[in-house]
């Protein structure tokens, strides 16, 4: 289900009663709060990009055992509760362009987490993690022809780095 650009301030609680709802996208509304009972336990993808969410209750995460994709970029979040660590199936999380000043340790210990987007947060700007990110030269990276996927802001191609298969994300010029 996708409802975007509708100036919604809350997630309708009736959505939490839909037993087969696996994908919910409420991008670019004016949502400020996320009531746990408004989210169906069957959700696999939750997309709340571009809203006005400042905090998320710890009980929200306990309600989402199947969640694999969580997109909260472009909100007003300053923190996430430790309970995000209960999302044992989480594979991808986008938290860019918020006001995050720290991350819960439990987030980085999730067993299936393969991708996390954090750019544009105060924590990233001041954290020394950037000093440990290696620079890869073009000579070390083999890019395969064709694309694996393309989004509004980037393309993804397959390739090889140090004899291992990799996905290479290239951001488009603005």
């Amino acid at each position: 289900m996708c409802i975007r650009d509708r100036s919604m301030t809350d997630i309708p609680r009736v959505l939490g009663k839909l037993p087969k709802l696996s994908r919910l996208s409420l991008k670019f509304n004016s949502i400020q709060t996320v009531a746990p009972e408004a989210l169906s336990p069957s959700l696999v993808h939750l997309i709340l990009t571009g809203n006005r969410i400042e905090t998320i209750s710890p009980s929200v995460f306990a309600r989402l055992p199947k969640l694999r994709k969580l997109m909260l970029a472009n909100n007003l979040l300053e923190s996430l509760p430790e309970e995000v660590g209960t999302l044992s199936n989480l594979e991808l999380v986008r938290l860019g362009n918020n006001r995050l000043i720290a991350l819960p340790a439990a987030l980085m210990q999730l067993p299936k987490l393969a991708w996390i987007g954090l750019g544009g947060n105060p924590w990233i700007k001041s954290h020394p993690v950037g000093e440990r990110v290696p620079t890869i030269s073009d000579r070390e990276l083999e890019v395969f022809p064709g694309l694996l996927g393309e989004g509004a802001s980037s393309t993804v191609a397959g390739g090889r780095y140090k004899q291992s298969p990799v996905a290479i994300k290239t951001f488009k010029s603005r």
Side-chain angles (χ1 to χ4, degrees):
M1 176 179 293
C2 180
I3 304 170
R4 70 180 279 162
D5 300 314
R6 296 287 180 189
S7 301
M8 295 171 54
T9 56
D10 294 304
I11 301 171
R13 295 185 196 285
V14 69
L15 297 180
K17 296 177 182 177
L18 300 175
K20 294 186 179 180
L21 183 64
S22 63
R23 295 176 185 200
L24 179 60
S25 176
L26 301 173
K27 293 172 23 171
F28 307 113
N29 281 285
S30 297
I31 295 169
Q32 297 172 1
T33 59
V34 181
E37 59 275 9
L39 300 175
S40 173
S42 61
L43 283 176
V44 176
H45 295 174
L46 177 59
I47 304 167
L48 297 173
T49 302
N51 282 286
R52 296 182 181 158
I53 301 166
E54 292 183 21
T55 61
I56 295 183
S57 166
S59 57
V60 165
F61 299 116
R63 189 157 166 95
L64 303 170
K66 297 179 180 180
L67 199 67
R68 292 178 34 211
K69 183 178 190 178
L70 177 61
M71 298 178 68
L72 294 167
N74 298 307
N75 276 287
L76 304 171
L77 292 167
E78 293 183 4
S79 65
L80 288 176
E82 281 291 329
E83 286 77 4
V84 72
T86 64
L87 300 175
S88 60
N89 289 305
L90 194 65
E91 298 171 1
L92 179 147
V93 61
R94 287 189 171 188
L95 299 168
N97 298 318
N98 274 286
R99 298 177 179 172
L100 294 172
I101 54 175
L103 289 177
L107 179 65
M108 301 310 286
Q109 296 170 0
L110 289 170
K112 297 181 181 177
L113 187 64
W115 199 91
I116 183 167
L118 297 169
N121 282 290
W123 178 78
I124 292 299
K125 294 174 186 171
S126 65
H127 197 274
V129 71
E131 297 169 9
R132 296 191 307 257
V133 176
T135 299
I136 299 171
S137 77
D138 291 342
R139 293 184 307 274
E140 296 176 281
L141 190 62
E142 178 186 358
V143 181
F144 301 151
L147 294 177
L148 297 175
E150 183 170 6
S153 63
S154 64
T155 59
V156 179
R160 189 179 347 268
Y161 173 67
K162 292 187 176 180
Q163 305 305 314
S164 294
V166 295
I168 304 158
K169 186 171 191 173
T170 306
F171 291 94
K172 298 176 181 177
S173 301
R174 290 189 183 235

